[in-house]
Amino acid sequence: MARLEKNKLDSEASNITGGTDMTRALGILALTALLGTAACNGNIGSELNGEGGYYASSSGSSSGMGADISSSSGTSDCSDCETESSGVGTDDPFDPDNNPSDGVGLDDNGALVLDASNTNIPGIIWIANTNLSTVTKVDTTTYQVLGRYKIGTNDPSRTSVNSLGDVFVANRNGNSLTKISAAGDECPDTNGDSVITTSTGFNDVKSWGQDDCVLWDVPIPNNPKVRGAAAQDVWVDNPIPDDPDNKTLEHYAWVGGTNHRTIYKYDGVDGTLLIQTESPTGVYGLALDGNGQLWMSGNTDGNVIGRLDTTKCHDQASCDAAPVCVRNCATGNCACEPGCPTSCDDAVKERILVPNAVYGITVDFKQRVWIGGGTVHRYDPQLPENQRYAAVANAGFIHGIAADADGSIWGAGGSNGVIRVDGDTLAHVVVPVGSAKGMAIDKDGKVWAVEKGSHAHVITPGNNGLNDFTMTPNAVGGLGDCYTYSDMTGAQLALAMNDPGYYREVFEGCAGDGTEWYELNWNVETEPSTFVRFRARSADTEAGLDQAPWVSLAKIPSDTPPVSIATKFDNKGYYMGYYLELEVSLEGTLTPDGFVGPKVNAFSVSHRCRTIAN
């Protein structure tokens, strides 16, 4: 699994190229390349990318340069052009590990494909120190404690991380939601003293209101005894004059509790309460899938899980108008009970009865729901009704639960250690790493087991079956009395969703002369309902690229190569400088087998030099 690096890119944290009328962009991948000179050839294959569940298949349409782009560069009418290429079969192969990248991996041939395990979530785990009313920030690579933060009320338990690395903390008896930024010494000056004041270690806890990284704390109405929390990132259409396909990333947080069946939606930026509506179950845990379905564990509400369609429950009126439909898996057939005005699958709110007690909850990259409790439960909403529910035999009681990018499910078995389950076969083994209450996966694929106590253990999975792993007991100690669940790293959200990413290299024009960026050519393949888009910007310095406007170049499959870069820039009246930054974005779609995305095998840019008069 590739390492993930956090990169600061002008507006990519909040804006990215889109291009459909979907409210949520399924898997926009922004790959930015500033290319080096090379020839390019190679065919696009149809391999499965094993990390993160993304597929690129050859059953769709191909577009572009064919097997040998050096002989079809799109520059036959430009005898003085130089062609620069990147990708499979060139001297400049794609290299996500050493170039700024997010959400992209390589298939076996070296082509770029969507890969949810390669997102730029920071290498941080947020652990609730419940009895201390604080939350600890730990580096998942060095195991160093980076800070500890006082929350606004008391009894923090669930920590859920968004794509920026910021954490939402659900405080049980305090009945509040706290947001803490991951930015460290780059946090905003929230207390207005012109100095960034924030914790730098476990014993460096600032007084309430004095730590600039603790952004806000808001009350949750009607005493829900909040137990579940889930960060949600949603891409929405936001066209601008220079980019009609532009999208903006919006941040939300969902919470609920066990005292009554109520679900709450908060604005993830300022903490405004947006929705307060009846939920299908009481809420002990929450997890989102890639279709915008919010799944919940009932626990104290019985042997039940719930589902809320956040794409249809989008404001107070639409949520309140939705009845709760009931599906009964306790008898094994998972049939929808009478009284539902639609099918249960089409319902906005669904209550699902299961045979065993429930506890923690997560969703894997295949969109299967996993629940702890009396055993490890699996609920697959994509299967026929009578095949949806399955359970692991003799698993023991499971608390927290997490799913990794390689198909393993990890359950916290309390004093019995950790159980590792094959997500397809349900075969399982016990990992005797130590006591475990909460589970998480970090950005490098390591498994974290946090005990109800003061220690966190780490498991590093191998590649040779369930019994291949390395244990690091007590990797982090002195954490107080931890009682922590949910997506503590943000990796679960990244794996279940199909979120944006990018790839960048540096690519130069003519030294001492003016540069005309001439044509763009490509070799890509798209499946039905998947897309590839190109845009570019140019400047005389690399630093100047950050301020240069983007120009849309092509959308695939509707456009065919080559396209004239110069014409696109001239139409906008934009300057072409020494550097060109080319961004190719990939948009996938969700199928019953996982996310299907396009494949970028290679692309090329041609330019020519223009003498500048003295």
Side-chain angles (χ1 to χ4, degrees), residues 126-130 134-135 151 154-160 168-173 226-229 284 482-486 488:
W126 299 86
I127 298 174
N129 320 108
T130 305
T134 60
V135 174
I151 52 98
N154 62 65
D155 205 21
S157 175
R158 277 52 167 181
T159 56
S160 185
F168 298 99
V169 185
N171 307 305
R172 291 181 303 177
N173 291 320
V226 60
R227 295 277 193 166
Y284 198 78
C482 302
Y483 187 90
T484 192
Y485 288 103
S486 299
M488 296 175 264

Side-chain angles (χ1 to χ4, degrees), residues 222-244:
N222 299 333
N223 186 31
K225 193 166 187 178
V226 60
R227 295 277 193 166
Q232 183 179 34
D233 298 329
V234 180
W235 290 98
V236 297
D237 293 326
N238 184 28
I240 56 178
D242 291 329
D243 188 358

Side-chain angles (χ1 to χ4, degrees), residues 194-218:
S194 301
V195 177
I196 304 305
T197 304
T198 190
S199 174
T200 58
F202 187 83
N203 294 319
D204 180 23
V205 181
K206 309 302 180 186
S207 301
W208 174 248
Q210 297 305 305
D211 195 310
D212 287 320
C213 288
V214 181
L215 302 182
W216 43 256
D217 180 85
V218 295

Side-chain angles (χ1 to χ4, degrees), residues 28 36 79 210 228 367 457 489 538 596:
I28 300 175
S79 59
Q210 297 305 305
Q367 307 304 300
H457 318 295
T489 64
S538 186
V596 172

Side-chain angles (χ1 to χ4, degrees), residues 66-281:
D68 186 353
I69 67 170
S70 63
S71 63
S72 179
S73 63
T75 60
S76 58
D77 61 340
C78 182
S79 59
D80 57 346
C81 280
E82 295 183 19
T83 298
E84 307 172 75
S85 306
S86 186
V88 177
T90 76
D91 293 332
D92 183 24
F94 298 129
D95 187 3
D97 286 344
N98 293 305
N99 291 308
S101 63
D102 185 24
V104 57
L106 302 179
D107 72 358
D108 291 341
N109 294 324
L112 290 163
V113 290
L114 292 167
D115 186 352
S117 70
N118 274 1
T119 57
N120 276 347
I121 54 173
I124 294 169
I125 186 170
W126 299 86
I127 298 174
N129 320 108
T130 305
N131 66 329
L132 302 177
S133 294
T134 60
V135 174
T136 296
K137 177 184 178 183
V138 178
D139 186 309
T140 58
T141 301
T142 66
Y143 306 155
Q144 177 185 357
V145 173
L146 303 177
R148 186 160 65 95
Y149 307 89
K150 180 72 176 174
I151 52 98
T153 52
N154 62 65
D155 205 21
S157 175
R158 277 52 167 181
T159 56
S160 185
V161 178
N162 67 15
S163 59
L164 302 179
D166 300 334
V167 65
F168 298 99
V169 185
N171 307 305
R172 291 181 303 177
N173 291 320
N175 285 309
S176 72
L177 180 68
T178 306
K179 183 181 181 182
I180 307 173
S181 171
D185 58 8
E186 296 184 7
C187 285
D189 181 17
T190 55
N191 57 16
D193 63 358
S194 301
V195 177
I196 304 305
T197 304
T198 190
S199 174
T200 58
F202 187 83
N203 294 319
D204 180 23
V205 181
K206 309 302 180 186
S207 301
W208 174 248
Q210 297 305 305
D211 195 310
D212 287 320
C213 288
V214 181
L215 302 182
W216 43 256
D217 180 85
V218 295
I220 301 173
N222 299 333
N223 186 31
K225 193 166 187 178
V226 60
R227 295 277 193 166
Q232 183 179 34
D233 298 329
V234 180
W235 290 98
V236 297
D237 293 326
N238 184 28
I240 56 178
D242 291 329
D243 188 358
D245 295 326
N246 185 66
K247 291 181 182 287
T248 299
L249 185 63
E250 296 182 350
H251 303 285
Y252 302 100
W254 293 86
V255 297
T258 55
N259 279 355
H260 44 77
R261 296 178 186 172
T262 307
I263 194 78
Y264 307 80
K265 181 182 181 181
Y266 285 86
D267 186 300
V269 176
D270 61 15
T272 299
L273 178 60
L274 302 175
I275 294 171
Q276 177 181 341
T277 190
E278 178 188 8
S279 62
T281 72

